[in-house]
Amino acid sequence: MSLKIRLSRGGAKKRPFYRIVLADSRSPRDGRFLERLGSYNPMVPQDHADRVILKDERIKHWLGQGAQPTDRVRKILGIAGIVEMPTPPTQTKKNQPKAKAQERLREQQEKAAAAAAAAEEAAAAPAEGEGEGASAE
């Protein structure tokens, strides 16, 4: 029997309230569970004491017995300090522009850098010319 520590949804429509339960992985989300291990209320502010309530000893017991928390529960337990905080998944390269778009962007940056350098040289050249003209008089 594969045990999961997961969220079981309760509450009204658009007013969620979750119980943190230990259940068989084959049972339905809101169905039969073995033990209630806490609660999570996302509707209250994050610094409120009633947002997350956990039975630390029982959670540690079941983790020792081989129960696996779901991703969201692992994050909740990580914030509480019961398990180590999960590492966020690495981003794929799908969110980055394609090769041609990256090349165009690189060219635009090079042109902007060249224009800035030319403007800097143009600003420096008259200042030097004025200095020489003033000393000659």
Side-chain angles (χ1 to χ4, degrees):
M1 180 165 75
S2 177
L3 298 175
K4 289 275 187 185
I5 300 175
R6 63 183 181 197
L7 298 175
S8 174
R9 192 181 193 281
K13 180 176 158 184
K14 300 191 180 197
R15 302 281 304 168
F17 181 83
Y18 298 95
R19 288 187 204 144
I20 299 172
V21 298
L22 175 78
D24 183 6
S25 62
R26 297 169 292 187
S27 63
R29 178 192 73 181
D30 300 334
R32 190 179 67 199
F33 60 88
L34 300 174
E35 187 175 349
R36 186 173 171 190
L37 302 174
S39 64
Y40 169 59
N41 187 357
M43 300 303 289
V44 299
Q46 286 189 345
D47 57 347
H48 198 274
D50 291 337
R51 184 171 173 96
V52 177
I53 299 170
L54 299 171
K55 296 179 182 175
D56 297 347
E57 296 170 10
R58 294 304 295 165
I59 291 172
K60 288 177 184 175
H61 168 77
W62 285 112
L63 288 173
Q65 296 295 320
Q68 295 296 315
T70 58
D71 293 338
R72 185 69 198 170
V73 173
R74 184 181 305 275
K75 187 172 180 182
I76 292 170
L77 297 178
I79 292 169
I82 297 174
V83 297
E84 64 184 48
M85 195 69 174
T87 57
T90 57
Q91 285 287 333
T92 61
K93 293 184 178 180
K94 288 185 176 182
N95 63 341
Q96 297 177 351
K98 302 294 183 224
K100 284 187 177 180
Q102 286 181 352
E103 186 177 320
R104 276 188 238 121
L105 182 63
R106 202 174 310 117
E107 289 174 3
Q108 288 175 353
Q109 289 174 346
E110 289 172 2
K111 286 180 184 178
E120 190 175 297
E121 288 177 14
E128 292 175 4
E130 289 174 6
E132 292 173 3
S135 63
E137 291 178 15

